Amino acid sequence: MARIAAESLVERLAEWGVDTVFGMPGDGINGIMEGLRRHRDRVRFVLVHHEEAAAFMATGYAKATGRIGVCLATSGPGGIHLLNGLYDAKLDHVPVLAITGMQETSVLGTGYQQEVHLDRLYEDVAEYNMMITNPAQLPSLVDLAIRTAYARRGVAHLTLPNDLQVAEAGMAPYRTVAPARLPETAPVYLRPSGLPRQEDVEWAAEVLNNARRPAMLVGQGALHAREEVLAVAEALGAPVAKTLPGKAVIPDDSPYTTGGIGLLGTRPSEELMDEADVLFMVGTNFPYSKFLPEQARVVQFEADPTRAGARIATDVPVVCDAKEGLRALLPLLNARDRTAHLRKYQEMMDKWRADMDALENPDRDPIAPQYVVSIVDELATDDAILTCDSGTIATWAARHWTIRGERRFYLSGTLATMAPGLPYAIAMQHAYPGRQVIAYVGDGGFTMLMGEFLTAVQQRLPVKVIINNNNSLGQILWEQMVLGYPEHGVRFPEPEADFSAWARSCGGFGAKVTKSEDVAMAIGQALAHDGPALVDVDVNPNEPPMPAKVSYEQAKNFAQAFLKGQPHKAAIATTLFKDRIQRLGE
């Protein structure tokens, strides 16, 4: 049997260490599917139920492993469906390769069925974007695509016309007039050292040593630098705030952390940003600049030269890997007595944790979403991976899922899209088959890609799904009220869906919970189940994801929404009153 060009593609992926491709077949990629079949001993194909999920899986795989994630879709609509997941990779700066099909070269430009020029469509999302026009271009363009995805921490895209996929590997489909010599490449990416310039580190040390009220803000770029972050925090006596994608940088019970920052963050972190005279940003280009200090001097350790100093006026922008930069900085820091500054925030965090604990009340009716997450947190292993969708669930996870041991936490950070929680979990379970992987999702996000639970069952992946079912688009509900608008179009009609029935119909474990006293047992059974499991919990739809500090403008607009005829104001007022009482130590 003749070796086809698609085999050259698959073989090169394998040489790059790619062991998994997430995708969905179609007539635009039958040649690639044949290449995967012929080399199924080297590269595993994971069949999904929607191409968007394939892109999310590739993105989640890349986030969790640091290795390139690969997704595959057919021409036209298949390639279009990948886009949301690919933008998630682009905005969160992780390496993903998207491979798509294209109509035969002989019919391009004729308006043929499903003729969508995906290379043009992907111009914004992809750092490297190429249509293969000659089988001899493989594997060189695979090398360039993967190197670019790694180097620029983003998306690369290759699209292959049908006829070229099945052409003889390495051969031109027609005689060339003046054949050129293709570059001889190798499946190797030479990572930059990440070492900072010595003069930059000395400059950073000078500013940090003179700080009286230092603060650190760490993000996902520092996930591999936990020990170094803690060592610098100790040397500076600096409290450490964490971005949501950087939640796992240091443990949540560390004496140095003030928890999250931003809309889903903690009050101590907001106070820290207001009071700091020097802010040290490590591995983050935090996009919500309104939560950053207005007057403080800023030192930033950033891996990408284009992002260093791009978010906030920065006194000392340093281009380096977070771990390497902190290692170089540590010997230059002068230990000083800043214990009063640090102790102040430790006391504030003690109170904040007590407030959060009070909201994890098992006696609430309807069920408090904070209680559900607290049970997941209590029963999960110390190396569990939690994936999360966007919405109110991100608030509950940020505040009530505790990073300890080797736990990890992943969500769509900058794109903040709905629906990646379950696909992320499936990809991460493939990457780490021995670890507990839990998808914590809302009913809105789950329904978008709920077919992927069937994917988990069919592939015998023991992922666990916990659904925070408030029968609404909860985050949008509260955003409308903060803007002063009575809610509209954000609650689904009664009755609530029973997703546990869907789980059981797929062949997995499914439990429906409507009472607080049943939460712990159902989640415990799901975590102990040896296959895919889902627990659908009806939670209080009127529980507000309150910001750490409520501004006067937010409070005024919230009140105006009530006065304008908020349809559920009695239930909301009752919930707010109960929350306040419990924080006071009911």
Side-chain angles (χ1 to χ4, degrees):
M1 186 179 294
R3 182 169 172 268
I4 60 176
E7 289 185 80
S8 179
L9 166 68
V10 176
E11 289 165 357
R12 203 57 161 187
L13 292 177
E15 289 169 6
W16 273 97
V18 172
D19 57 13
T20 306
V21 173
F22 303 95
M24 191 171 183
D27 58 6
I29 53 171
N30 279 334
I32 298 175
M33 292 303 301
E34 173 61 10
L36 285 165
R37 186 193 68 81
R38 295 184 186 185
H39 296 281
R40 58 189 180 275
D41 59 329
R42 300 182 68 188
V43 179
R44 167 180 53 191
F45 176 72
V46 176
L47 174 62
V48 304
H49 285 83
H50 196 291
E51 291 95 349
E52 182 180 3
F56 279 137
M57 290 178 191
T59 301
Y61 186 94
K63 287 183 176 182
T65 66
R67 303 195 302 272
I68 193 160
V70 182
C71 54
L72 173 65
T74 190
S75 54
I80 294 170
H81 283 159
L82 291 177
L83 278 172
N84 194 43
L86 295 181
Y87 270 102
D88 186 31
K90 172 185 172 71
L91 270 62
D92 278 355
H93 310 294
V94 293
V96 167
L97 172 63
I99 302 170
T100 62
M102 180 67 71
Q103 278 66 29
E104 295 181 11
T105 55
S106 61
V107 299
L108 288 177
T110 67
Y112 198 75
Q113 183 186 30
Q114 295 187 339
E115 183 180 346
V116 176
H117 291 263
L118 295 171
D119 52 328
R120 301 176 195 170
L121 182 66
Y122 281 31
E123 283 180 354
D124 179 62
V125 74
E127 300 288 345
Y128 186 91
N129 183 24
M130 185 63 64
M131 183 171 76
I132 305 297
T133 57
N134 188 317
Q137 291 173 288
L138 296 166
S140 295
L141 295 195
V142 175
D143 293 348
L144 289 171
I146 293 178
R147 283 200 196 100
T148 304
Y150 275 130
R152 299 182 184 172
R153 301 172 187 244
V155 176
H157 171 232
L158 294 174
T159 186
L160 283 75
N162 260 336
D163 51 333
L164 300 189
Q165 295 173 27
V166 296
E168 186 176 347
M171 298 295 291
Y174 46 80
R175 184 179 298 277
T176 56
V177 176
R181 181 178 177 182
L182 280 167
E184 294 183 4
T185 59
V188 176
Y189 172 61
L190 301 176
R191 297 181 182 274
S193 68
L195 293 171
R197 297 189 307 177
Q198 183 62 26
E199 56 266 38
D200 290 342
V201 180
E202 291 173 357
W203 187 15
E206 179 183 353
V207 173
L208 292 167
N209 282 329
N210 289 325
R212 292 180 295 113
R213 299 181 304 278
M216 294 180 69
L217 174 60
V218 299
Q220 63 181 348
L223 285 171
H224 64 308
R226 174 180 289 185
E227 292 181 5
E228 290 77 12
V229 167
L230 290 171
V232 169
E234 181 177 6
L236 292 174
V240 181
K242 303 185 288 184
T243 68
L244 199 49
K247 181 176 171 63
V249 172
I250 64 174
D252 280 317
D253 60 359
S254 167
Y256 295 102
T257 189
T258 58
I261 186 177
L263 187 63
L264 313 185
T266 70
R267 187 179 184 91
S269 287
E270 287 208 31
E271 297 283 354
L272 179 64
M273 293 300 113
D274 289 341
E275 187 184 28
D277 63 344
V278 174
L279 174 64
F280 185 16
M281 299 174 66
V282 183
T284 180
N285 194 40
F286 187 68
Y288 310 105
S289 55
K290 69 178 181 178
F291 292 101
L292 297 177
E294 295 182 4
Q295 305 297 328
R297 301 188 71 185
V298 176
V299 176
Q300 183 181 12
F301 280 12
E302 167 60 55
D304 186 343
T306 65
R307 297 200 301 268
R311 190 67 66 191
I312 184 175
T314 305
D315 298 80
V316 189
V318 181
V319 177
C320 65
D321 170 77
K323 191 181 190 76
E324 297 294 343
L326 294 175
R327 282 179 172 175
L329 175 69
L330 266 168
L332 304 179
L333 296 179
N334 300 328
R336 288 175 49 193
D337 184 8
R338 299 183 182 93
T339 54
H341 172 64
L342 180 61
R343 190 180 304 115
K344 172 183 176 180
Y345 286 94
Q346 290 171 340
E347 292 171 356
M348 291 176 67
M349 276 305 292
D350 287 343
K351 183 175 187 311
W352 174 265
R353 292 184 181 107
D355 286 345
M356 294 301 100
D357 289 347
L359 295 176
E360 299 169 357
N361 191 324
D363 299 324
R364 295 266 293 278
D365 183 25
I367 301 169
Q370 299 96 324
Y371 175 62
V372 177
V373 185
S374 75
I375 293 299
V376 176
D377 181 66
E378 176 186 336
L379 298 180
T381 61
D382 283 353
D383 68 346
I385 298 172
L386 186 79
T387 67
C388 186
D389 270 2
S390 300
T392 56
I393 45 172
T395 302
W396 315 136
R399 295 176 177 175
H400 302 274
W401 170 253
T402 304
I403 296 299
R404 62 175 184 264
E406 295 303 315
R407 282 186 173 183
R408 292 292 180 263
F409 175 74
Y410 298 98
L411 82 172
S412 174
T414 306
L415 185 62
T417 179
M418 295 173 68
L422 177 54
Y424 275 12
I426 290 172
M428 293 174 192
Q429 193 73 82
H430 272 295
Y432 300 107
R435 293 179 70 168
Q436 191 179 70
V437 182
I438 305 167
Y440 175 56
V441 299
D443 55 299
F446 179 73
T447 53
M448 289 183 174
L449 291 172
M450 62 191 291
E452 302 311 324
F453 187 82
L454 181 57
T455 300
V457 172
Q458 291 170 335
Q459 295 171 11
R460 296 176 174 83
L461 296 172
V463 297
K464 315 304 177 187
V465 181
I466 311 297
I467 299 180
N468 184 84
N469 193 342
N470 56 17
N471 203 42
S472 66
L473 300 173
Q475 188 70 31
I476 309 305
L477 184 160
W478 297 105
E479 287 173 350
Q480 288 180 355
M481 292 188 66
V482 167
L483 290 171
Y485 309 143
E487 66 174 71
H488 180 69
V490 291
R491 296 189 193 246
F492 296 108
E494 301 289 344
E496 297 91 346
D498 181 358
F499 297 109
S500 68
W502 163 247
R504 292 191 296 274
S505 73
C506 291
F509 173 92
K512 180 69 171 179
V513 177
T514 59
K515 297 179 180 179
S516 289
E517 56 262 34
D518 298 328
V519 170
M521 178 178 291
I523 291 177
Q525 290 174 336
L527 295 179
H529 185 67
D530 63 359
L534 181 151
V535 180
D536 180 9
V537 186
D538 288 349
V539 299
N540 186 357
N542 299 306
E543 183 73 29
M546 299 298 287
K549 291 173 66 174
V550 180
S551 69
Y552 170 77
E553 192 67 23
Q554 288 172 327
K556 182 183 74 173
N557 290 339
F558 196 81
Q560 286 176 344
F562 268 66
L563 295 174
K564 288 177 182 176
Q566 166 57 256
H568 296 271
K569 59 186 177 184
I572 292 170
T574 299
T575 299
L576 288 170
F577 177 74
K578 287 181 178 178
D579 282 354
R580 179 60 178 166
I581 290 296
Q582 283 159 0
R583 288 189 182 191
L584 292 174
E586 182 182 54

